């Protein structure tokens, strides 16, 4: 019989896979990979603030991720280049987070778990947060699905159809903030963007419609979780990186498969 910690790890990973698979499609379509990376790196600052003020890790990372999204929007509206703004914020937030977390004695031992994840240490209360956040992300994306797809394809077309692209970007920012919060315990801040991008990029090779791509991306993300956990247990490797490595293996297989 499977151990309880492994069952919790599988459930946590599948919860992440559902949200990351669908949200990752929009990240790929809108070319927001660097934005997702910046938000994920900023999560370390949220972890530091949460530990310093004895707050929930999830609340701290959500608040920080949303603050980063609003800061990016404000700076880009003032004429700054998007890639420059994201580069400054991503590295600055990560650096400040690592410095701040060094002043929290209880976090010194657990720093690696926030950077690379520790899915095998997920508890029952974490599962509630992960699945609750995942369903919230899925509900948000399904509610705005058509508007998000239209705005992702062509913002001018979206405006002609009466859709406000700024509102859809805000929806994406909120969804990304939630995803970062639920994923940091599973794959860590340094690997979150990989779980967003790799399954979606793999699914793109096999899908003819946005809906099919989202479904395939969720399946690939779920298979990556299962394969990564299996490899972690058999080879005694870190679980988070093993999950991302499995996703990368599926991506490489897809390139070979589609080239023949």
């Amino acid at each position: 019989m499977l151990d309880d910690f492994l069952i919790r790890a599988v459930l946590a990973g599948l919860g992440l896979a559902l949200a990351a698979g669908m949200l990752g499609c929009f990240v790929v379509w809108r070319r927001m990979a660097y934005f997702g990376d910046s938000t994920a790196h900023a999560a370390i600052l949220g972890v530091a603030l949460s530990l310093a003020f004895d707050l929930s890790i999830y609340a701290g990372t959500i608040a920080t991720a949303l603050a980063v999204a609003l800061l990016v929007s404000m700076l880009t509206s003032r004429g700054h280049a998007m890639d420059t703004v994201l580069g400054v914020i991503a590295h600055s937030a990560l650096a400040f987070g690592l410095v701040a977390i060094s002043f929290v004695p209880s976090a010194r031992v657990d720093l690696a778990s926030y950077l690379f994840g520790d899915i095998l240490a997920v508890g029952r209360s974490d599962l509630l947060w992960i699945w609750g956040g995942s369903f919230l992300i899925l509900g948000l994306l399904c509610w705005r699905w058509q508007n998000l797809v239209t705005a992702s394809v062509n913002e001018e077309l979206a405006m002609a159809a009466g859709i406000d692209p700024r509102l859809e970007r805000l929806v994406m920012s909120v969804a990304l903030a939630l995803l970062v919060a639920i994923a940091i315990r599973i794959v860590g801040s340094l690997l979150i963007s990989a779980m967003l991008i790799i399954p979606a990029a793999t699914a793109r090779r096999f899908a003819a419609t946005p809906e099919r791509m989202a479904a395939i991306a969720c399946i690939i993300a779920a298979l990556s979780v299962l394969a990564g956990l299996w490899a972690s247990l058999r080879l005694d490797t870190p679980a988070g990186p093993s999950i991302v490595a499995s996703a990368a293996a599926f991506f490489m297989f897809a390139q070979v498969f589609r080239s023949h």
Side-chain angles (χ1 to χ4, degrees):
M1 184 175 178
L2 294 176
D3 294 325
D4 286 344
F5 79 91
L6 184 57
I7 294 175
R8 290 195 298 271
V10 169
L11 290 175
L14 293 179
L16 170 64
L18 287 176
M22 183 177 289
L23 182 58
C25 292
F26 289 103
V27 171
V28 169
W29 293 332
R30 299 176 71 93
R31 298 181 180 179
M32 293 177 65
Y34 202 9
F35 184 88
D37 208 34
S38 301
T39 307
H41 286 179
I44 288 296
L45 180 57
V47 169
L49 295 175
S50 298
L51 294 173
F53 295 100
D54 196 23
L55 301 173
S56 167
I57 295 296
Y58 299 104
T61 50
I62 289 174
T64 304
L66 287 175
V68 165
L70 293 175
L71 183 59
V72 169
S73 177
M74 180 185 71
L75 291 176
T76 52
S77 66
R78 293 185 177 182
H80 295 281
M82 174 68 81
D83 59 342
T84 302
V85 170
L86 291 175
V88 170
I89 291 177
H91 297 101
S92 298
L94 180 59
F96 278 116
L98 292 174
V99 170
I101 211 168
S102 67
F103 289 101
V104 184
S106 61
R108 290 177 182 171
V109 178
D110 299 325
L111 180 57
S113 68
Y114 295 118
L115 292 174
F116 302 105
D118 192 7
I119 190 173
L120 298 179
V122 168
R124 293 181 180 179
S125 60
D126 294 315
L127 286 178
L128 294 177
W129 274 99
I130 291 166
W131 277 94
S134 180
F135 279 127
L136 191 57
I137 293 169
L138 291 175
L140 188 62
L141 295 179
C142 289
W143 173 49
R144 308 293 300 178
W145 179 264
Q146 196 57 55
N147 288 357
L148 284 168
V149 171
T150 304
S152 298
V153 173
N154 191 314
E155 290 196 352
E156 292 182 357
L157 177 63
M159 292 178 68
I163 299 170
D164 185 358
R166 292 174 299 180
L167 176 60
E168 306 313 319
R169 283 195 293 269
L170 179 60
V171 171
M172 283 291 299
S173 298
V174 171
L176 275 171
L178 288 170
L179 193 280
V180 167
I182 68 173
I184 194 166
R185 288 295 303 274
I186 300 175
V187 293
S189 67
L190 299 183
L191 302 175
I192 290 173
S193 59
M195 284 302 293
L196 279 168
I197 299 166
I198 298 176
T202 306
R204 199 173 196 174
R205 304 278 294 179
F206 302 98
T209 65
E211 293 79 9
R212 184 174 297 178
M213 178 173 165
I216 295 174
C218 290
I219 293 172
I220 292 172
L223 291 175
S224 300
V225 167
L226 297 176
L229 286 174
W230 178 84
S232 177
L233 291 172
R234 291 295 300 269
L235 305 176
D236 193 27
T237 55
S242 297
I243 291 171
V244 174
S246 297
F250 282 120
F251 176 80
M252 289 184 285
F253 174 77
Q255 308 312 304
V256 174
F257 178 79
R258 293 293 291 177
S259 65
H260 290 83

